Amino acid sequence: MIGDGEIAVPRRGEVLAGPLQFIEAGADAPHAVRVRAELVASDRPPVWQYTGEETSRRWEWSGLLRGDGWTASWRGAVPRTGQVDLTGVFWGSFGPDMRGRFRGRVTRVRMASERYERRGAGGWYSVPGHYRLREVDTAPRFFGLGDTEHDGDSADMETSVVVDLDLDNVPALPVRPELVPGDVSVAGGVLWVVDSALPVVLRIDADDRATRVVLPGAIGTPRRVYATPSGCWVTGQDGTFWVTEGADPVRVDDQPVVAGAAAGESLVASTGTAVWRQYSPSREPVDLAAVAGHVSSIVVVDDYVYAAVLPRGRSELHLVRVSSSGECTVGSAIPLVRNRHRKPFLMGDALRLVHGADVGVVESDLSVRRERIFARHPVGGGRTDELSWTVTPTPNGTSAGWWPLPGPVVVDRTRASWVLTVHDSASLEPVTSVPVSTHTARVAAGADGEVFVIDGAVRRFRTDSPVMADPEVIDVAGIAARLV
């Protein structure tokens, strides 16, 4: 969470905020507390959940706890609602259902270490009975297992930070900007930016003329934007919208969309189920027989949409290809290595599948032929138009060396520190790199080597920019404010 930039580095005396989860646990668990709060139960059905290594599955219900100055996402094995009295542990966690938030002034910071042992090829596992705390004024940005090399079959490692907060000693929250960027896309010299929570889209043309578009959509729904030569598609849990200059935005479907890609004027959208949809401004939506699961990557190559799909509950991947005419092909199952936490993604030309450090060429039958191994495990990446890119932790010269950078760099380790690298699409050799504050940055390719990235702000750089030069910030909030 801290290394990802989702929560700032905890420093004693400073205000800290971020997502919060409450996990029920026994009173003897480290840092367990007893809380009395209102539980607003979710209307979603329970999840048949694994609870740990070598344990049986169980049903888990979810909801939101509302306490005095905090909210926390909750999951539990007992269905509950209303006023509750619970014992458990607060965690600064991030995930798709993490609606809880905390904000307070840091009064104490402690690094927590545990002992881990290596078990064959399965990775590192915690050993009970070796939990230790160390007082610090400031937590490090990066800690934990990571990509560090460890000699032997056991090691004591600091894997979490315990923070005490004063929830009352904080200033008032600032007024929200008119636009907080959530996604960006470019086509035909027009930049489209969609708000992270509001149904608002900003259009900026090649002459820097801006238009603010308000969608007839819900507030609080994250959305994605996909630019086309004549407009853009906007998708989210409340459906799909078509936006074009000089006309009111149109909701073309209320089916939730979890991932998508625009090829020409059409949009291929995954619903998370086995039935996807293809949208076009000139015709009704077309159903596509695809595959259900999590779409870890979706790209466009030569007017074809390719997607990597992870079926739930199985250690395998399917590649999906959709033509401009709506022909959908699902590849055979590709086994995945267990305990590898990096999500597979697609990049390059020829198209490659990257999983961990392994790189394979996607064949015409949607099988994968192993090609090479990257020097470091990217945490993310993709292909946007002709642009291929990866995100990696900032290297420090140990373990995997300096790749993807050409050599040593000086980095402020107290800042959120990730490296977004543009690669040559054919050779996959690094072209240039820039610092970003999150590993989940959204990337769009502009004209003549321009690259746009969202990592809390909209930033712009070029493929010939100096390595690790800070991208230029585009003040989209100020532009949006002038249009209100």
Side-chain angles (χ1 to χ4, degrees):
M1 290 297 299
I2 296 173
D4 292 352
E6 300 295 344
I7 297 177
V9 170
R11 293 184 177 90
R12 187 182 300 171
E14 294 191 0
V15 174
L16 189 69
L20 187 64
Q21 181 183 27
F22 185 84
I23 299 177
E24 291 188 57
D28 57 346
H31 313 294
V33 294
R34 184 176 176 181
V35 298
R36 185 176 178 86
E38 179 191 8
L39 175 58
V40 181
S42 171
D43 57 3
R44 297 178 181 176
V47 177
W48 189 236
Q49 187 70 275
Y50 285 105
T51 57
E53 184 186 3
E54 298 179 356
T55 59
S56 60
R57 300 174 76 174
R58 68 181 186 186
W59 290 108
E60 280 193 349
W61 286 262
S62 61
L64 184 70
L65 285 169
R66 297 186 180 276
D68 184 8
W70 57 268
T71 58
S73 299
W74 165 87
R75 276 190 176 181
V78 177
R80 306 178 191 274
T81 192
Q83 289 294 321
V84 294
D85 194 331
L86 303 174
T87 299
V89 180
F90 285 107
W91 287 92
S93 302
F94 183 75
D97 60 348
M98 293 297 130
R99 295 181 294 141
R101 300 287 299 180
F102 72 88
R103 183 171 181 263
R105 192 172 299 277
V106 178
T107 60
R108 190 180 189 186
V109 183
R110 290 171 289 173
M111 299 303 301
S113 69
E114 297 182 77
R115 180 162 298 175
Y116 288 82
E117 67 178 17
R118 198 192 309 269
R119 299 180 188 173
W124 293 88
Y125 293 82
S126 176
V127 179
H130 297 274
Y131 188 82
R132 300 289 185 273
L133 294 173
R134 178 174 66 92
E135 295 275 352
V136 296
D137 288 328
T138 302
R141 165 66 65 184
F142 297 101
F143 51 88
L145 296 170
D147 294 324
T148 305
E149 299 284 347
H150 296 280
D151 296 328
D153 292 327
S154 67
D156 290 338
M157 286 171 277
E158 292 180 334
T159 55
S160 61
V161 54
V162 181
V163 181
D164 293 4
L165 297 170
D166 183 344
L167 301 182
D168 297 321
N169 185 18
V170 291
L173 286 168
V175 175
R176 188 186 193 272
E178 288 294 335
L179 188 139
V180 176
D183 195 19
V184 61
S185 189
V186 184
V190 177
L191 176 72
W192 298 87
V193 182
V194 66
D195 193 277
S196 62
L198 299 178
V200 174
V201 181
L202 189 67
R203 179 187 185 274
I204 306 174
D205 66 18
D207 297 321
D208 289 333
R209 293 174 299 192
T211 307
R212 182 176 180 267
V213 180
V214 179
L215 308 175
I219 296 174
T221 297
R223 293 180 175 86
R224 299 301 184 206
V225 60
Y226 308 95
T228 76
S230 66
C232 75
W233 299 98
V234 182
T235 65
Q237 288 297 308
D238 58 346
T240 300
F241 300 85
W242 169 245
V243 182
T244 189
E245 186 180 18
D248 291 335
V250 177
R251 188 200 301 265
V252 298
D253 199 353
D254 59 5
Q255 180 82 17
V257 173
V258 298
E265 295 288 356
S266 67
L267 173 75
V268 172
S270 167
T271 62
T273 70
V275 179
W276 295 12
R277 286 200 160 177
Q278 186 179 51
Y279 300 96
S280 172
S282 59
R283 70 181 186 212
E284 292 296 311
V286 176
D287 286 343
L288 305 173
V291 61
H294 171 71
V295 178
S296 66
S297 183
I298 185 166
V299 303
V300 177
V301 181
D302 298 332
D303 290 332
Y304 286 86
V305 173
Y306 290 81
V309 184
L310 305 172
R312 291 174 177 82
R314 304 202 298 270
S315 296
E316 63 185 38
L317 172 146
H318 290 269
L319 293 177
V320 176
R321 180 178 59 223
V322 181
S323 70
S324 58
S325 62
E327 180 184 358
C328 185
T329 305
V330 179
S332 300
I334 300 171
L336 297 180
V337 178
R338 290 182 179 273
N339 299 318
R340 184 172 289 172
H341 301 298
R342 313 302 193 203
K343 291 183 178 179
F345 62 88
L346 298 164
M347 67 181 297
D349 185 13
L351 188 63
R352 277 88 155 190
L353 176 70
V354 181
H355 185 216
D358 293 330
V359 182
V361 176
V362 177
E363 305 282 25
S364 59
D365 64 354
L366 300 182
S367 63
V368 175
R369 170 175 51 84
R370 191 173 187 185
E371 180 189 50
R372 71 182 76 184
I373 298 177
F374 278 151
R376 173 173 278 106
H377 296 67
V379 297
R383 171 181 164 136
T384 306
D385 294 330
E386 302 300 318
L387 182 81
S388 291
W389 52 276
T390 61
V391 177
T392 57
T394 300
N396 57 16
T398 62
S399 183
W402 291 100
W403 190 92
L405 303 180
V409 294
V410 178
V411 177
D412 181 357
R413 305 299 289 186
T414 65
R415 295 174 56 190
S417 185
W418 299 89
V419 174
L420 172 67
T421 298
V422 175
H423 295 256
D424 180 275
S425 284
S427 68
L428 298 191
E429 288 300 310
V431 175
T432 192
S433 301
V434 297
V436 292
S437 62
T438 175
H439 73 290
T440 58
R442 302 291 297 175
V443 180
D448 300 323
E450 275 193 324
V451 183
F452 297 87
V453 58
I454 288 184
D455 66 343
V458 178
R459 306 179 192 273
R460 174 172 53 195
F461 68 97
R462 296 183 52 81
T463 55
D464 58 2
S465 294
V467 173
M468 293 303 281
D470 283 324
E472 170 196 5
V473 176
I474 301 175
D475 183 17
V476 293
I479 296 171
R482 293 192 292 271
L483 297 173
V484 175

